[in-house]
Amino acid sequence: MSKIAADPSHPRYQSLLMRHRLEEARKKGMLAGSALIAHGRGEAFDYLLGEQTISSALIATRQALAHLSSAKHPVISLNGNVVALAGEEVLQLAYHLKCPVEINIFYRTPERMEALFNHLNEIKQQMGLDVEILGAESNARIPGLEGPRANCCKQGIFESDVILVPLEDGDRCEALVAMGKTVLVIDLNPFSRTARMASVTIVDELTRVLTNMNEILSSGENLQLTTNFQNEQILQAAFDHIGTVLTP
Ligand code: ATP
Ligand code: MG
């Protein structure tokens, strides 16, 4: 991977690093045309959150981990942006949780799938992580969705009870919830349909969330499901936080 030109002391280093990862991924054919637009919207919301993990996001992160740790068939669904921005972090998380990942992209072409598999397999080898990567063949469909966006793997997304889908699309999130799954999402936009449909919404930036998750799991912390968890309160806390940033 080519090196990023900016110095780590640059005040916008993290943001530049993420953009660099997307540029590299685009060159390798890993991304759909709309990937950079989705990222731009995320960046705008991250500004409004102060580019930090707010306390309600950390509560949602712990709740999501408690669900994943106690699941029978947990799975992590990956799209192009997730693989490009956080391939290492997401494989580390899957390794900690002993769960498979499934590459599941909307604009599925053999070239894109190959580029994504190659990238993840390279990381897997370099880091020596034994993680099952599903998605090469789709053999099941998510009910209620039209066309190729419904395709998934039977032994992955289809049969999962708990699914982490970072950066999910609103109607797919709704269809997964309708299947009776516990759907955990990461979305910087607390107003999106995804954020409002999910069982647990982590309103935070993808790489920050995955780093937090890996640190919490490595620390051996005892994760307990909060039985009266209210996702609306998590969203309200994010709205309130944005409100304080916008108030002059
Ligand atoms: P929805 O389909 O849920 O109604 P949308 O169509 O507005 O939302 P999409 O284009 O489907 O949004 O997905 C992009 C979403 O991903 C945006 O809401 C954006 O905030 C979020 N996003 C982009 N990059 C990141 C990131 N690095 N971390 C967390 N969230 C991100
Ligand atoms: Mg959408």
Side-chain angles (χ1 to χ4, degrees):
M1 199 180 271
S2 84
K3 276 203 147 164
I4 177 172
D7 189 84
S9 65
H10 189 288
R12 306 231 31 87
Y13 180 74
Q14 273 306 320
S15 166
L16 295 173
L17 181 63
M18 293 305 132
R19 289 181 178 189
H20 178 74
R21 285 184 187 170
L22 288 174
E23 276 177 46
E24 291 291 304
R26 193 183 52 80
K27 281 186 214 152
K28 288 186 183 173
M30 286 160 52
L31 301 180
S34 58
L36 301 183
I37 300 169
H39 185 74
R41 178 176 287 161
E43 281 191 338
F45 276 98
D46 208 12
Y47 242 84
L48 295 175
L49 290 166
E51 295 176 311
Q52 59 180 317
T53 299
I54 60 175
S55 56
S56 55
L58 208 48
I59 291 171
T61 299
R62 287 201 159 82
Q63 181 74 354
L65 276 180
H67 275 298
L68 286 164
S69 305
S70 58
K72 281 204 180 84
H73 298 291
V75 69
I76 306 175
S77 175
L78 305 180
N79 67 13
N81 281 34
V82 177
V83 174
L85 292 170
E88 286 185 17
E89 292 87 343
V90 89
L91 285 182
Q92 239 161 15
L93 178 66
Y95 179 74
H96 272 134
L97 293 167
K98 299 184 180 58
C99 78
V101 299
E102 177 171 335
I103 300 180
N104 195 272
I105 55 176
F106 295 167
Y107 308 107
R108 194 184 170 107
T109 64
E111 294 77 19
R112 261 193 87 198
M113 288 301 284
E114 194 187 338
L116 291 167
F117 268 100
N118 286 347
H119 186 71
L120 283 183
N121 278 323
E122 247 173 55
I123 297 172
K124 225 177 102 164
Q125 255 182 359
Q126 274 168 12
M127 298 180 67
L129 298 173
D130 182 18
V131 173
E132 188 179 8
I133 305 176
L134 302 169
E137 305 281 328
S138 61
N139 52 4
R141 288 181 64 80
I142 301 168
L145 290 179
E146 297 293 319
R149 298 175 59 241
N151 293 342
C152 67
C153 265
K154 189 168 184 302
Q155 66 275 36
I157 289 178
F158 191 81
E159 286 184 345
S160 65
D161 55 344
V162 176
I163 174 167
L164 174 64
V165 265
L167 321 187
E168 181 53 297
D169 205 19
D171 58 340
R172 243 176 57 117
C173 178
E174 189 174 7
L176 292 168
V177 171
M179 287 176 84
K181 299 180 191 306
T182 299
V183 181
L184 317 168
V185 302
I186 301 170
D187 194 332
L188 279 159
N189 177 6
F191 301 96
S192 74
R193 287 188 70 235
T194 303
R196 288 183 283 117
M197 292 294 165
S199 320
V200 177
T201 304
I202 304 168
V203 185
D204 196 3
E205 197 276 326
L206 173 74
T207 54
R208 287 202 301 269
V209 176
L210 295 174
T211 302
N212 287 339
M213 285 183 158
N214 284 320
E215 280 177 12
I216 292 168
L217 289 175
S218 302
S219 77
E221 183 181 316
N222 185 16
L223 290 157
Q224 297 282 354
L225 265 185
T226 304
T227 45
N228 62 349
F229 180 87
Q230 300 280 341
N231 205 45
E232 303 80 47
Q233 286 178 3
I234 295 294
L235 297 180
Q236 189 60 51
F239 302 147
D240 292 347
H241 183 87
I242 290 174
T244 61
V245 173
L246 292 177
T247 308

